[in-house]
Amino acid sequence: METPGRLSQSQESLDFTVENVEKALHQLYYDPNIDNKNLAQKWLMQAQVSPQAWHFCWVLLSPEKVPEIQYFGASALHTKISRYWGDIPAEQYDSLKKQLFSQISHFASGSKMVLTRLCVALASLALNMMPEAWPGAVTEMVRAFQEEGGGADGRARCLALLELLTVLPEEFQTSRLPQYRKGQVRGALGQEWGSVLPLLQQLLRQADSPGLVKARVLKCLSSWVLLDVPLNESEGLVQDSFAALGDPELFDTAVEAIINAISQPDSQRYVNTLLKLVPQVLQLQEQLRAAVQAGDMETSHGICRIAVALGENHSRALLDQVEHWQGFLALVNMIMFCTGIPGHYPVNETTSSLTLTFWYTLQDDIMSFEAEKQAVYLQVYRPVYFQLVDVLLHKAQFPTDEEYASWSSDEKEQFRIYRVDISDTLMYVYEMLGAELLSNLYDKLGRLLTASEQPSSWQHTEALLYGFQSIAETIDVNYSDVIPGLIGLIPRININNVQLADTVMFTIGALAEWLADHPVMLSSVLPLVLQALGNPDLSVSSVSTLKKICRECKYDLPPYATNIVAVSQEVLIKQIHKTSQCMWLMQALGFLLSALPVEEILRNLHSLITPYIQQLEKLADETPNPSNKLAIIHILGLLSNLFTTLDISKQEEEGGDGVPLVKSTPPQPGPNPVVVVLQQVFALIQTVLSKWLNDSQVVEAVCAIFEKSVKTLLQDFAPMVSQLSEMLGQMYSTIPQASALDLTRQMVHIFASETDYFPPIKALFELVTSVTLSIFQQGPRDHPDIVDSFMQLQAQALKRKPDLFLSENLDVKAVFQCGVLSLKFPEPPTVKSTCLFFTELLPHCGDIPPVGQVVQEDGKLLLQAVLEGIGGQSSRNLMDQFAEILFSMNKHCFALLSLWLKEVLQRPSFPSSRVSMEQKDTFSQQILRERVNKRRVKEIVREFTLLCRGLHGTEYAAEY
């Protein structure tokens, strides 16, 4: 049975009466059933915008109602005024205004939440009436609330007035006023600031003003400065806000008021006022130091925010005031104190990170001066920036091991991000300080590592190395004369800690390119890297560093190869590293082996791969289950990654003047080592496949081995083409998978044009095409990935070897029809690949008879599918691809296209009911006119799709 007073589904059409609104509000607040709450909320939203709201909102504000009901009444009033202003007759403005004044006066001593909503409603009324219908609105508000009487005590009236004055600019920021009205109202509010300012000053300076009133005054100032009121006019009030920072109860609101005032874009025009504020900020240093001493993070944080706001927003303006340079330098030093604030971020302090952007801004401003002026400023500020580097490296130091162990994982992650921010700042600062910065770091590190009197903490050493690494990672340090010294110092470091060891590794990795130019130094650092490989805690840093060295220095590594392979094998067998690091390690070994003579490559490959081949043989015999599947994928992944980088042809990299950077050597005799290995394991891979053919992940892993090898070896892969084509054909015929099509596409790309390999490639292409066509007959919707890969394969075939489409065994008509069907798929990548297929196909209308025939017979179906997509069936992001098809049709079969467009667009409501016959004609003429300018065709299609979707001229269209 219905409980009394509940809205049911059937009662959703209830009249919007006071009684029903109260029932619905009771249901919203007190009914435990979430569905009932939702029902009530939906009904109340309708009630709020109904014409009856004008009646019930005043009744709901009656003194005997509870605050929740009064609040809804006030909200309904605000909704009606702000969103349905046009419905209010002009003759009712004044009575509405009087009623609102009266209600606010009444609620000044009542519920705060209701008072705020009423103030927002009156603010909205004022904004809609200003300036013509209510000139001097703010002045009238101030006068009305300063008058005696009206049923509320003076303090309550004062707080109500401040609330009203505070919400007025806030309501302006969120109002739905049209743009031209916004400009008018902003101007009117700016003129009214003169009425607000003296009131706020008086209340803030009055000795007997209660703390609550002063806090509201500061909030009100915060609100008004967002309107860009002139800073010089509010100068006195901002200075009073600085005085308020001494009162703990007012501190937070005063901080916000000051920051909002000095952060307004307009404030930089008032340089004299800014200059007066600099000493005010500097006077806070004593309070700042006391707060830091007492561990009062909130106070130190607030003061730091003020200093940074002044420095960051106005560094250019203040730098330009040359005669006041000492004041600004003092401010810069105050911000430096904030950067180096004692304690570890983020546990003991959260302030230092706020200051980093300031140092970027200041550097940009100094470096933007013309040369002579810049030189003067650099004399003053270079020493400041060297000091900054010391401060940042001190802040980047890890805490003691005990302290770090007590941090939560979230704190450790925040600290890691903080160090990355410091690293980015150091890299930026290098632009100003140059090579001297590296020398400076090197001298410090040298002193630290050679000082015999007292052993330094590992944290200090790590931070200096981190500074080096930050710069060397992204900046070319090849010309620095301190790197040899640094490489010489690294072996002297007593590495007794994981964080230090990690940084040593990353630093060596950052110097890999330098080592390639100075290979004699490899012997100093390689032993450290190989030793670190055995430590699971250093997995990421040691493996990525070895990979960088093997990639950059491979031609200098043959003397170390035996050792590197032996250590790598050992860590792989012991399973020290996670999967992704094992893959990186294999890539490193691929780079390393590439530079060795073929027989040595084969010898190393044999010892490296044999254990995995034996493991794979064992796994291939087992009955498939989840755990051996992972092991198989892991081994196949290792082989893929090894073959990705094992490339014995010396790629010629050209220098800037066209001179090869690497000598090209004649090819080594005999088959490529990768091919030798692949031929040896081919039968085993076939065995694995036969058991796992219905598992897409295993098939993908097998295909990846060959795909990576084909990409790396190119023509050297030739001996494998025939047997791989046969295997791929068998795989795909049994269980079709997208990865097999992708590998076929690679093979077509590289070998379809080679006369010797054309027959197996042709047979494979025809077979996979025929199998895929039968999938289309059964229903391809469940296989968007196969359709996507199939379309890419067809496009590649047309690009590399269009002759494939001359074959009697290829049903070109069926492939074309599958393409038309694929254009209607909901998956954008599949549609993109299909569009690519058609843009490759259409140019062959003239030179490949089967293509010409099918376009003549079925081209209209293609046009229809393209227009359906443009008409709204497909994502708007695909319009450029559809435009390419239209452009291609226009270029290669113009006569047919003009005929088809006429026929297809004759149909009413096609491709959309939103476009008229006239608009369709215009579109048709525009398309047919453009046979050269593809960019213009894309614009025409974009315009037309917006018309078809009813979006033309909307904000969505603007984003398009």
Side-chain angles (χ1 to χ4, degrees):
M1 208 181 106
E2 289 279 309
T3 46
R6 171 173 295 173
L7 269 174
S8 70
Q9 201 79 39
S10 58
Q11 290 173 297
E12 274 191 79
S13 55
L14 278 177
D15 292 341
F16 299 122
T17 62
V18 173
E19 188 188 2
N20 285 337
V21 169
E22 289 195 34
K23 280 180 188 173
L25 283 165
H26 189 275
Q27 189 168 316
L28 179 66
Y29 287 117
Y30 303 111
D31 194 316
N33 183 318
I34 192 73
D35 291 336
N36 291 340
K37 280 181 184 292
N38 291 339
L39 199 63
Q41 186 169 21
K42 190 177 160 194
W43 185 87
L44 285 164
M45 283 167 81
Q46 292 168 345
Q48 220 171 15
V49 299
S50 68
Q52 294 92 315
W54 283 118
H55 167 68
F56 69 63
C57 59
W58 300 110
V59 183
L60 296 178
L61 284 164
S62 307
E64 72 278 3
K65 304 288 183 191
V66 293
E68 288 87 349
I69 287 173
Q70 294 170 330
Y71 179 82
F72 182 78
S75 286
L77 259 176
H78 172 245
T79 302
K80 295 299 281 184
I81 293 168
S82 62
R83 285 169 56 186
Y84 299 94
W85 178 251
D87 297 350
I88 306 170
E91 60 273 14
Q92 288 184 20
Y93 292 170
D94 267 358
S95 68
L96 188 55
K97 183 190 354 172
K98 286 194 182 83
Q99 278 177 291
L100 278 166
F101 268 126
S102 154
Q103 288 288 352
I104 290 171
S105 181
H106 170 75
F107 276 95
S109 311
S111 162
K112 169 78 171 68
M113 66 176 185
V114 181
L115 173 67
T116 300
R117 287 322 285 164
L118 288 167
C119 288
V120 172
L122 181 55
S124 186
L125 180 81
L127 295 173
N128 277 298
M129 290 174 70
M130 288 168 81
E132 299 87 359
W134 190 0
V138 179
T139 313
E140 187 179 330
M141 290 174 189
V142 173
R143 195 175 58 247
F145 282 92
Q146 282 181 324
E147 287 167 3
E148 290 302 314
D153 66 57
R155 180 177 158 191
R157 291 171 69 79
C158 175
L159 286 170
L161 173 60
L162 287 171
E163 184 67 23
L164 178 57
L165 293 176
T166 304
V167 300
L168 186 63
E170 290 170 358
E171 180 67 8
F172 173 75
Q173 304 289 359
T174 58
S175 70
R176 300 174 176 215
L177 294 171
Q179 210 50 47
Y180 79 97
R181 284 277 296 133
K182 273 212 157 182
Q184 286 180 342
V185 174
R186 182 187 280 274
L189 285 171
Q191 288 170 350
E192 298 265 26
W193 175 232
S195 312
V196 180
L197 188 62
L199 170 74
L200 299 184
Q201 266 181 320
Q202 180 196 340
L203 290 171
L204 201 53
R205 289 175 182 175
Q206 246 170 251
D208 61 346
S209 274
L212 190 58
V213 168
K214 288 184 176 181
R216 289 285 169 81
V217 167
L218 292 166
K219 267 204 166 122
C220 191
L221 169 61
S222 262
S223 184
W224 277 82
V225 293
L226 294 176
L227 293 173
D228 259 351
V229 292
L231 184 64
N232 60 342
E233 290 179 19
S234 35
E235 186 185 303
L237 200 49
V238 174
Q239 296 202 342
D240 292 342
S241 305
F242 274 97
L245 291 168
D247 182 339
E249 285 187 11
L250 299 178
F251 182 83
D252 289 344
T253 34
V255 167
E256 295 308 324
I258 293 165
I259 289 173
N260 284 339
I262 57 184
S263 301
Q264 281 315 298
D266 195 48
S267 58
Q268 56 202 22
R269 287 174 32 208
Y270 306 101
V271 178
N272 290 334
T273 302
L274 293 171
L275 287 170
K276 289 180 197 169
L277 294 179
V278 173
Q280 295 271 6
V281 175
L282 294 175
Q283 278 174 12
L284 300 173
Q285 286 180 96
E286 209 172 307
Q287 190 180 353
L288 172 62
R289 287 176 198 281
V292 169
Q293 200 82 38
D296 177 357
M297 276 166 74
E298 280 181 28
T299 301
S300 57
H301 196 73
I303 294 173
C304 166
R305 282 179 63 209
I306 292 172
V308 169
L310 184 58
E312 207 173 294
N313 287 293
H314 305 296
S315 69
R316 180 68 195 234
L318 294 170
L319 277 169
D320 276 331
Q321 306 306 306
V322 182
E323 64 279 17
H324 297 280
W325 70 272
Q326 284 164 308
F328 184 61
L329 182 59
L331 177 67
V332 171
N333 284 322
M334 180 177 175
I335 295 173
M336 180 78 78
F337 174 81
C338 297
T339 304
I341 206 158
H344 283 289
Y345 182 94
V347 178
N348 319 104
E349 63 92 6
T350 53
T351 298
S352 57
S353 63
L354 300 178
T355 65
L356 297 180
T357 322
F358 164 74
W359 298 109
Y360 284 79
T361 307
L362 177 60
Q363 181 176 323
D364 284 346
D365 288 336
I366 292 169
M367 301 307 273
S368 69
F369 289 134
E370 40 81 24
E372 211 172 305
K373 192 173 179 184
Q374 189 187 109
V376 175
Y377 278 93
L378 284 175
Q379 271 188 310
V380 176
Y381 284 99
R382 267 177 74 89
V384 172
Y385 272 82
F386 274 112
Q387 186 195 345
L388 172 67
V389 171
D390 290 345
V391 167
L392 289 175
L393 291 177
H394 179 72
K395 292 298 292 182
Q397 282 186 29
F398 278 87
T400 62
D401 294 339
E402 300 76 32
E403 197 182 332
Y404 190 66
S406 71
W407 286 12
S408 70
S409 57
D410 189 40
E411 286 166 340
K412 286 176 180 172
E413 177 59 8
Q414 282 185 53
F415 181 58
R416 186 192 67 75
I417 294 166
Y418 173 67
R419 277 172 50 103
V420 171
D421 292 342
I422 286 178
S423 172
D424 291 344
T425 311
L426 289 170
M427 191 180 75
Y428 204 74
V429 167
Y430 180 85
E431 301 290 324
M432 183 196 258
L433 302 181
E436 199 184 331
L437 171 54
L438 290 175
S439 308
N440 185 296
L441 292 175
Y442 172 65
D443 293 342
K444 287 195 170 71
L445 189 63
R447 283 200 298 276
L448 204 61
L449 295 175
T450 51
S452 49
E453 59 277 5
Q454 60 176 72
S456 61
S457 70
W458 70 263
Q459 286 91 339
H460 202 163
T461 309
E462 189 278 334
L464 282 168
L465 272 179
Y466 185 68
F468 259 113
Q469 178 209 322
S470 302
I471 294 160
E473 235 167 11
T474 42
I475 287 161
D476 183 4
V477 293
N478 275 10
Y479 307 103
S480 167
D481 53 0
V482 302
I483 305 296
L486 171 65
I487 298 272
L489 283 175
I490 285 177
R492 300 187 61 148
I493 298 170
N494 175 24
I495 302 177
N496 54 2
N497 172 281
V498 169
Q499 281 90 8
L500 175 58
D502 252 340
T503 303
V504 169
M505 281 305 112
F506 284 127
T507 305
I508 295 170
L511 297 171
E513 283 184 44
W514 185 90
L515 286 165
D517 291 340
H518 307 82
V520 69
M521 303 302 280
L522 278 166
S523 57
S524 304
V525 292
L526 251 183
L528 289 173
V529 179
L530 294 179
Q531 189 187 348
L533 273 184
N535 184 343
D537 292 333
L538 305 178
S539 183
V540 174
S541 60
S542 62
V543 175
S544 68
T545 296
L546 181 65
K547 183 180 161 185
K548 281 181 183 172
I549 290 175
C550 289
R551 186 181 63 215
E552 301 298 335
C553 314
K554 63 180 172 185
Y555 297 111
D556 303 297
L557 289 177
Y560 310 99
T562 312
N563 198 8
I564 295 173
V565 172
V567 173
S568 302
Q569 267 188 289
E570 190 185 340
V571 300
L572 284 166
I573 288 163
K574 287 183 176 171
Q575 297 183 344
I576 282 171
H577 302 289
K578 288 184 179 160
T579 301
S580 52
Q581 276 71 52
C582 292
M583 302 304 158
W584 291 358
L585 189 50
M586 279 303 206
Q587 286 180 24
L589 293 171
F591 285 124
L592 172 75
L593 296 180
S594 301
L596 301 180
V598 168
E599 61 275 12
E600 276 189 48
I601 297 178
L602 286 167
R603 196 175 63 247
N604 279 297
L605 279 177
H606 180 72
S607 67
L608 187 61
I609 292 175
T610 303
Y612 293 111
I613 301 305
Q614 290 168 348
Q615 206 181 333
L616 197 56
E617 284 170 343
K618 194 165 145 290
L619 291 163
D621 285 341
E622 294 176 7
T623 312
N625 67 57
S627 68
N628 59 23
K629 170 184 164 174
L630 287 176
I632 288 170
I633 290 174
H634 180 74
I635 293 170
L636 295 173
L638 292 175
L639 295 175
S640 286
N641 280 280
L642 178 62
F643 297 156
T644 302
T645 54
L646 208 172
D647 184 8
I648 59 172
S649 64
K650 291 197 174 182
Q651 306 291 327
E652 290 195 6
E653 298 174 47
E654 290 204 338
D657 51 3
V659 180
L661 296 176
V662 179
K663 298 187 301 294
S664 185
T665 52
Q668 303 189 15
N672 188 293
V674 172
V675 172
V676 173
V677 174
L678 284 175
Q679 284 175 329
Q680 287 170 356
V681 298
F682 199 80
L684 173 58
I685 288 175
Q686 281 184 304
T687 311
V688 170
L689 264 181
S690 65
K691 289 231 177 135
W692 290 91
L693 202 48
N694 58 356
D695 189 297
S696 63
Q697 288 172 303
V698 175
V699 172
E700 216 168 286
V702 168
C703 290
I705 291 182
F706 293 106
E707 196 174 342
K708 300 273 173 67
S709 307
V710 171
K711 274 183 180 171
T712 310
L713 301 181
L714 303 175
Q715 265 67 25
D716 282 358
F717 189 81
M720 297 287 302
V721 169
S722 188
Q723 59 193 130
L724 180 56
S725 298
E726 196 181 330
M727 184 181 93
L728 267 175
Q730 289 168 354
M731 273 169 61
Y732 195 74
S733 307
T734 317
I735 296 183
Q737 304 212 0
S739 49
L741 288 173
D742 295 334
L743 179 49
T744 304
R745 186 176 84 245
Q746 284 295 336
M747 304 263 285
V748 167
H749 176 60
I750 294 161
F751 294 107
S753 304
E754 307 268 329
T755 317
D756 294 350
Y757 303 107
F758 184 63
I761 294 288
K762 177 173 180 278
L764 173 62
F765 178 72
E766 288 171 0
L767 177 62
V768 297
T769 300
S770 148
V771 171
T772 313
L773 292 178
S774 63
I775 292 176
F776 268 91
Q777 283 168 354
Q778 293 152 22
R781 270 305 301 120
D782 298 337
H783 309 283
D785 55 335
I786 289 180
V787 174
D788 186 348
S789 296
F790 177 66
M791 287 298 151
Q792 287 185 51
L793 168 61
Q794 298 297 320
Q796 184 69 268
L798 285 159
K799 196 173 187 175
R800 298 294 292 178
K801 193 70 173 168
D803 292 5
L804 286 164
F805 278 69
L806 288 166
S807 165
E808 293 167 11
N809 301 328
L810 193 79
D811 189 341
V812 177
K813 190 178 177 75
V815 172
F816 187 94
Q817 287 169 340
C818 290
V820 173
L821 194 60
S822 307
L823 279 179
K824 301 175 184 182
F825 269 47
E827 292 83 5
T830 305
V831 180
K832 259 186 191 170
S833 302
T834 310
C835 290
L836 177 67
F837 160 65
F838 282 117
T839 50
E840 291 291 349
L841 179 100
L842 290 163
H844 292 292
C845 282
D847 60 2
I848 298 180
V851 170
Q853 191 183 341
V854 74
V855 170
Q856 193 144 12
E857 290 170 7
D858 293 339
K860 190 165 130 188
L861 292 174
L862 169 61
L863 176 65
Q864 215 165 299
V866 167
L867 290 174
E868 277 172 19
I870 295 170
Q873 295 293 318
S874 298
S875 158
R876 273 166 52 205
N877 297 332
L878 293 164
M879 293 308 114
D880 283 2
Q881 281 77 14
F882 286 135
E884 299 242 4
I885 296 179
L886 287 176
F887 181 74
S888 200
M889 289 178 100
N890 201 21
K891 201 169 178 182
H892 301 288
C893 37
F894 173 75
L896 289 168
L897 178 65
S898 48
L899 195 67
W900 292 334
L901 273 171
K902 206 174 203 164
E903 287 176 25
V904 170
L905 291 175
Q906 280 299 328
R907 281 170 37 200
S909 297
F910 181 86
S912 159
S913 54
R914 292 191 179 92
V915 282
S916 65
M917 206 56 232
E918 194 184 342
Q919 288 169 321
K920 290 196 278 189
D921 283 345
T922 307
F923 169 70
S924 181
Q925 286 161 18
Q926 286 176 322
I927 290 289
L928 292 170
R929 203 178 300 133
E930 294 296 340
R931 300 183 69 181
V932 180
N933 190 341
K934 193 190 288 183
R935 192 170 53 80
R936 178 70 191 118
V937 174
K938 289 180 178 179
E939 287 168 8
I940 294 163
V941 168
R942 281 187 212 145
E943 283 286 305
F944 191 61
T945 196
L946 289 170
L947 287 170
C948 290
R949 294 162 198 259
L951 295 174
H952 202 270
T954 66
E955 59 190 284
Y956 293 105
E959 291 163 18
Y960 195 28

